[in-house]
Amino acid sequence: MPDTRPLEIPTDFNRWHPNEMTEWLAGIEDDETITDADVDRARQAVHHALVIK
């Protein structure tokens, strides 16, 4: 099992273009050093940021 590292989720998604968010998320999903729980948190953060109120 690879070493894991803590995931820092950006706090400024409101300034990111949707394509930037999905590219960031794709990189997180492909990174074997990030835990499944952190990948889930990243997905939730991107989903939350992309929801139009």
Side-chain angles (χ1 to χ4, degrees), residues 18-33:
N19 289 348
E20 292 174 308
M21 286 185 245
T22 55
E23 288 174 13
W24 174 82
L25 181 57
I28 296 301
E29 292 171 331
D30 291 342
D31 190 335
E32 294 180 2
T33 65

Side-chain angles (χ1 to χ4, degrees), residues 2 6 10-13 15 18 25 32 36 39 47 49:
T11 58
D12 62 343
F13 272 145
R15 293 191 261 171
L25 181 57
E32 294 180 2
D36 290 342
V39 170
H47 175 76

Side-chain angles (χ1 to χ4, degrees), residues 38-52:
D38 280 344
V39 170
D40 288 341
R41 285 185 344 147
R43 288 176 180 151
Q44 290 173 3
V46 169
H47 175 76
H48 180 71
L50 292 175
V51 172
I52 298 173

